């Protein structure tokens, strides 16, 4: 493969998040000449503002919770003096930085050329990039040695105390742009990701009102937080702030939190969060909010139709994410979005749009894509192999695990009980509390295992877990669902004792008619 900086690479990838750089790495490994365009930092939201920093902080929260458990449950007379926020942030940032450098190194080693700038489609195979000069004085363009990049910042606006919050978009400032035109010989991959959705009248300021993208970077630890949105992101942030000592109110408009998960998952998670002192309000809606000198005051309509006023130091908006396509020039390539802003492939087996050679990965895809980093890696592999002319297996979204890293955690794969019945399956369902096994008693955090299978010992359709460390337990069930296994197939394998995963084995034993501790 040539590493010459030509303007006619085989593949142009627009967006350097998990889906984009995953596509680029696999395509380069297959011998294709790849240009990756990213206007910020390679790694995307997941690495810099989402998955990685948030899970680092949640690990710190787990350590804090462990101190309380040691004292209150195990007689270990430990106390928490304080949280050194600066030290915690430094550790988090070090983890992110090392991962970022690792991604850059992988791209450089693979021979992927990284161009820092904003990309716009000018045709079905052509892209124009307005890039920031690496050295505006020398006029050096931002077509990098593989892996190099620079970053940009967005200024914020801070509402005046007492003023109603209104939408005020930030303005990005860049210096000395230069223009580069590229033509893709084989295809273009759209991977521009997503941004947090906001609500009318709520403009994030990065301090009192924050989104999931900047919640971890707001100054210090608040004493109280109002979280809008009970999906995975909202639940994780509610859990983190509660571990750090904040009073937390979690408001979800749907009838239950994590509404896309099995109803029993929602029920057990709600129970666990309430046990920790989080005020969970479902079927509730925000009416309005205003910024105060020391926080935010919001009016919330409860499920009973009552109006409740909630005051908190910080309001965190976690009501989902919206695909980013503004300025991408879709029309010039003959593309459109659906009413929700997604770019819909006409061929899901290849993730190819109505324009041959233009593919989509990551958060630009509508359901059944999941908007998860690990799903976008799989999408990137598929698209890269397709562009290289290789056969590739379509992504089986039902077999992609879904995890919420709160305390307690949730992890699921496959269909919920309601989804299975809605699709016409006759099902057998077995549920077992984690406290029914010895290791679950040791942890003492509750939780459950639930398996949904076709009746009469048929195919396993879904597995759902709630409890400590279940994010590390879901891999087994991913294989069970992905390989169309039956309970008897799992029951013949022995699970270690005592472990939490032993509960998974017990549930399958019972469904296979070989129940031991569970009858």
């Amino acid at each position: 493969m040539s590493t010459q900086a030509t303007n006619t690479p085989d593949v142009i990838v627009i967006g350097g998040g998990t889906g984009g750089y995953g596509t680029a790495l696999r395509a380069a490994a297959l011998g294709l000449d790849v240009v990756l365009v990213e206007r910020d930092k390679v790694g995307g939201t997941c690495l810099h503002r989402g998955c990685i920093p948030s899970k680092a902080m949640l690990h710190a929260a787990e350590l804090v919770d462990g101190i309380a458990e040691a004292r209150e449950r195990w007689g270990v007379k430990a106390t928490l003096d304080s949280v050194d926020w600066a030290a915690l942030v430094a550790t988090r940032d070090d983890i992110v930085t090392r991962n970022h450098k690792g991604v850059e190194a992988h791209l450089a080693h693979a021979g992927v050329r990284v161009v820092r700038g904003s990309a716009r489609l000018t045709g079905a195979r052509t892209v124009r990039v307005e890039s920031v000069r690496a050295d505006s004085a020398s006029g050096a363009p931002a077509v990098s040695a593989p892996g190099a990049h620079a970053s940009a910042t967005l200024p914020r606006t801070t509402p005046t105390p007492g003023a109603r919050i209104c939408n005020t978009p930030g303005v990005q400032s860049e210096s000395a742009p230069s223009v580069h035109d590229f033509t893709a010989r084989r295809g273009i991959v759209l991977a521009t990701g997503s941004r947090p959705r906001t609500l009318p009248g709520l403009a994030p300021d990065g301090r009192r009102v924050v989104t999931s993208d900047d919640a971890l970077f707001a100054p210090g630890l608040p004493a109280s937080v109002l979280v809008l949105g009970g999906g995975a992101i909202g639940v994780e942030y509610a859990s983190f702030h509660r571990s750090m000592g904040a009073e937390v109110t979690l408001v979800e408009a749907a009838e239950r939190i994590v509404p896309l998960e099995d109803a029993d998952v929602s029920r057990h998670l709600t129970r666990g969060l309430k046990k920790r002192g989080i005020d969970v309000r479902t079927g509730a809606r925000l009416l309005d909010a205003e910024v105060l000198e020391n926080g935010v005051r919001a009016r919330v309509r409860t499920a009973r139709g009552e109006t409740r006023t909630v005051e908190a130091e910080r309001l965190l908006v976690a009501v989902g994410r919206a695909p980013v396509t503004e300025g991408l020039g879709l029309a010039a390539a003959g593309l459109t979005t659906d009413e929700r802003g997604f770019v819909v492939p006409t061929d899901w087996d290849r993730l190819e749009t109505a324009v041959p050679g233009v593919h989509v990965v990551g958060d630009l895809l509508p359901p059944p894509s999941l908007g998860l980093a690990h799903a976008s890696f799989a999408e990137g592999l598929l698209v890269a192999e397709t562009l290289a002319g290789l056969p590739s297996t379509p992504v089986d979204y039902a077999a992609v695990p879904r995890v919420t890293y709160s305390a307690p955690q949730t992890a699921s794969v496959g269909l919920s009980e309601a989804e299975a019945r809605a699709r016409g399956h006759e099902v057998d369902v077995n549920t077992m509390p984690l406290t029914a096994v010895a290791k679950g008693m040791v942890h003492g955090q509750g939780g459950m295992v639930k398996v949904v299978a076709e009746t009469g010992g048929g195919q396993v359709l879904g597995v759902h877990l709630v409890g400590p460390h279940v994010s590390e337990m879901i891999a087994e069930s991913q294989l069970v669902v992905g390989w169309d296994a039956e309970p008897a197939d799992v029951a013949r394998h022995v699970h270690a004792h005592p472990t939490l995963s032993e509960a998974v084995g017990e549930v399958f034993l019972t469904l296979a008619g070989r129940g031991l501790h569970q009858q």
Side-chain angles (χ1 to χ4, degrees):
M1 179 187 68
S2 171
T3 58
Q4 297 294 321
T6 69
N7 286 348
T8 56
D10 294 313
V11 179
I12 303 170
V13 181
I14 304 176
T18 51
Y21 83 72
T23 306
L25 286 173
R26 180 59 178 148
L30 293 171
L32 301 181
D33 183 19
V34 182
V35 165
L36 172 64
V37 184
E38 169 56 52
R39 63 186 178 187
D40 194 355
K41 297 180 179 181
V42 291
T45 294
C46 178
L47 175 51
H48 297 286
R49 297 174 295 279
C51 318
I52 305 306
S54 67
K55 276 51 179 183
M57 302 291 264
L58 284 163
H59 175 69
E62 184 179 8
L63 296 176
V64 172
D65 292 338
I67 295 172
E69 182 188 355
R71 180 181 64 254
E72 297 167 6
R73 188 162 181 253
W74 295 100
V76 179
K77 301 306 180 183
T79 58
L80 176 66
D81 292 333
S82 63
V83 174
D84 185 337
W85 181 249
L88 192 155
V89 165
T91 300
R92 175 201 70 198
D93 291 350
D94 177 63
I95 292 168
V96 171
T97 298
R98 285 189 286 128
N99 274 272
H100 178 218
K101 290 180 178 178
V103 172
E104 289 188 320
H106 282 309
L107 291 166
H109 180 74
V112 174
R113 288 177 288 145
V114 178
V115 180
R116 194 218 160 199
S118 295
R120 176 170 55 87
L121 298 170
T122 55
R125 283 289 191 281
T126 54
V127 175
R128 173 162 291 184
V129 180
E130 292 189 5
S131 58
V132 176
R133 296 180 186 274
D135 182 350
S136 58
S138 66
V143 178
S144 69
H149 87 98
S151 62
T153 58
L154 292 174
R156 297 190 179 280
T157 57
T158 303
T160 303
R164 292 284 171 177
I165 306 169
C166 60
N167 290 312
T168 307
V171 180
Q172 184 170 354
S173 176
E174 294 189 343
S175 61
S178 56
V179 177
H180 303 274
D181 291 311
F182 296 92
T183 300
R185 290 193 291 262
R186 298 207 181 195
I188 294 172
V189 182
L190 307 180
T192 49
S194 62
R195 68 166 66 89
R197 293 185 185 275
T198 58
L199 295 174
L202 281 177
D205 63 11
R207 184 168 176 264
R208 296 301 183 197
V209 180
V210 298
T211 69
S212 57
D213 265 14
D214 53 21
L216 293 179
F217 306 97
L221 287 167
S224 55
V225 180
L226 169 60
V227 179
L228 297 180
I233 295 174
V235 167
E236 288 179 1
Y237 280 112
S239 179
F240 168 77
H241 284 97
R242 183 57 187 156
S243 296
M244 292 298 172
E247 294 296 321
V248 179
T249 302
L250 177 62
V251 174
E252 167 57 46
E255 295 304 310
R256 54 189 178 89
I257 60 174
V258 289
L260 299 181
E261 297 294 343
D262 187 272
D264 282 332
V265 170
S266 297
R267 180 167 58 85
H268 278 264
L269 179 58
T270 300
R271 180 187 301 165
L273 296 179
K274 286 184 174 180
K275 184 178 179 181
R276 296 182 56 208
I278 296 175
D279 184 6
V280 180
R281 299 278 177 165
T282 56
R285 295 183 179 275
L286 178 74
L287 296 177
D288 54 39
E290 61 179 322
V291 173
L292 307 175
E293 184 161 353
N294 296 312
V296 175
R297 178 187 294 129
R299 293 193 309 143
V300 175
R301 178 66 54 83
T302 69
R304 296 181 178 180
E306 303 167 342
T307 299
R308 181 187 174 204
T309 299
V310 180
E311 290 192 10
E313 284 190 20
R314 190 168 295 161
L315 189 156
L316 196 161
V317 182
V319 292
R321 299 185 66 86
V324 173
T325 58
E326 294 84 354
L328 189 53
L330 295 176
L335 295 168
T336 60
T337 63
D338 68 6
E339 66 279 2
R340 298 165 296 176
F342 294 109
V343 179
V344 183
T346 55
D347 184 348
W348 277 91
D349 288 352
R350 297 163 52 90
L351 297 179
E352 190 170 26
T353 67
V355 178
V358 180
H359 299 256
V360 192
V361 299
D363 289 0
L364 289 187
L365 288 167
S369 181
L370 299 169
L372 299 172
H374 47 285
S376 68
F377 280 133
E379 292 161 353
L381 290 170
L382 167 63
V383 169
E385 290 162 3
T386 297
L387 289 170
L390 299 178
S392 186
T393 303
V395 178
D396 180 4
Y397 290 106
V400 175
R402 308 175 300 275
V403 178
T404 303
Y405 295 85
S406 52
Q409 294 182 353
T410 77
S412 303
V413 63
L415 302 179
S416 68
E417 180 181 352
E419 288 171 336
R421 296 187 188 281
R423 296 187 186 189
H425 295 282
E426 294 185 9
V427 298
D428 289 334
V429 177
N430 190 22
T431 303
M432 184 176 186
L434 285 184
T435 51
V437 297
K439 196 63 181 292
M441 296 180 190
V442 170
H443 283 282
Q445 297 180 25
M448 62 107 191
V449 176
K450 179 176 181 177
V451 173
V452 181
E454 290 182 334
T455 191
Q459 177 183 339
V460 178
L461 302 173
V463 181
H464 310 276
L465 312 175
V466 180
H469 309 303
V470 296
S471 58
E472 304 294 342
M473 293 168 55
I474 196 62
E476 171 190 18
S477 298
Q478 174 188 355
L479 298 178
V480 170
V481 171
W483 288 343
D484 300 334
E486 298 176 354
D489 297 323
V490 185
R492 67 171 60 99
H493 298 286
V494 179
H495 289 72
H497 171 79
T499 61
L500 290 173
S501 61
E502 186 179 7
V504 177
E506 288 277 354
V507 169
F508 282 113
L509 275 170
T510 302
L511 283 171
R514 301 175 61 201
L516 186 59
H517 297 93
Q518 186 187 43
Q519 302 298 326

